[in-house]
Amino acid sequence: SMKRSFGAKPIIFPLPVLLIGTYDSSGRANLMTASWGGIVNSTPPMISVSVRRERHTHAALTANSEFTISIPQTSRAGEADYCGIYSNANSDKVTELGLNPYQSETINAPIFPEFPITLLCRVSQTVELGTHTMFVSEILDFQADESVIVDGELSIERIDPLFYDTISKFYYNIGTKVKKAYSEPKR
């Protein structure tokens, strides 16, 4: 059957919910929710995040190339949504949400203990794309709370990451396992 065209749209499933942690020009910790991002290289490990130029975080990333990415669990959907709606330009989201960031020992960026996964990142290049600037960044360290580690390995069930659907404007969880990867026999 013929597929129905919806035109050129920035849609893929699922979208991650990434909390970009920076220090702004006044030294305040800030969190911005982004879904335009993902892994872009294996060695060195790299991720890209795209941010609109008018966002408070854009200035912070431009001024200081170091930042964190926190992965919120589904129980923190409210905080993630809040950090996507409101701007640190005219509020203090971190204080309003009762978060307790601390300075990373290795980069000039805040770590938020409320979220189980933190990536420590450094911008390696920027690409101007139109509405957004893409910050292509090296992942310097991947940190996880003990609560999401089972038998020495990360557990996606314990991490319980939040996903975003740009069509319905709803957040989702991971759902169920389907099939072991790299298990399909040659046909």
Side-chain angles (χ1 to χ4, degrees):
S1 67
M2 291 282 292
K3 287 182 172 49
R4 181 169 156 196
S5 173
F6 284 86
K9 293 194 178 299
I11 295 172
I12 196 168
F13 310 99
L15 285 167
V17 177
L18 307 172
L19 299 177
I20 303 173
T22 54
Y23 288 121
D24 66 17
S25 56
S26 63
R28 285 184 311 164
N30 183 27
L31 269 181
M32 185 199 106
T33 308
S35 279
W36 285 188
I39 298 297
V40 293
N41 198 55
S42 300
T43 308
M46 298 182 83
I47 192 166
S48 76
V49 290
S50 292
V51 180
R52 288 181 180 271
R53 279 183 242 8
E54 60 269 22
R55 295 300 295 259
H56 198 66
T57 291
H58 190 285
L61 289 171
T62 303
N64 166 31
S65 62
E66 296 176 332
F67 65 100
T68 56
I69 293 176
S70 296
I71 310 273
Q73 59 276 57
T74 59
S75 63
R76 297 280 185 174
E79 288 95 328
D81 196 46
Y82 193 90
C83 290
I85 298 169
Y86 301 101
S87 173
N88 241 41
N90 47 33
S91 65
D92 184 349
K93 292 186 269 191
V94 171
T95 302
E96 289 161 7
L97 291 172
L99 302 176
N100 300 286
Y102 59 91
Q103 165 75 50
S104 164
E105 292 176 11
T106 54
I107 63 170
N108 183 27
I111 293 176
F112 294 85
E114 290 81 8
F115 307 106
I117 301 295
T118 304
L119 286 69
L120 278 55
C121 304
R122 182 179 294 132
V123 177
S124 60
Q125 59 183 316
T126 58
V127 184
E128 297 300 330
L129 297 173
T131 53
H132 289 66
T133 302
M134 180 171 63
F135 295 89
V136 180
S137 307
E138 188 166 350
I139 300 168
L140 304 174
D141 194 13
F142 183 104
Q143 300 180 353
D145 291 350
E146 288 295 333
S147 65
V148 299
I149 301 169
V150 177
D151 298 328
E153 296 291 333
L154 294 167
S155 163
I156 194 168
E157 289 88 358
R158 291 257 183 107
I159 294 167
D160 191 22
L162 198 57
F163 297 121
Y164 176 63
D165 172 33
T166 190
I167 295 171
S168 69
K169 307 281 192 279
F170 270 86
Y171 296 101
Y172 285 84
N173 62 11
I174 57 168
T176 56
K177 284 182 187 174
V178 175
K179 178 182 178 15
K180 177 81 173 154
Y182 303 103
S183 67
E184 192 65 20
K186 186 161 173 55
R187 296 180 188 188

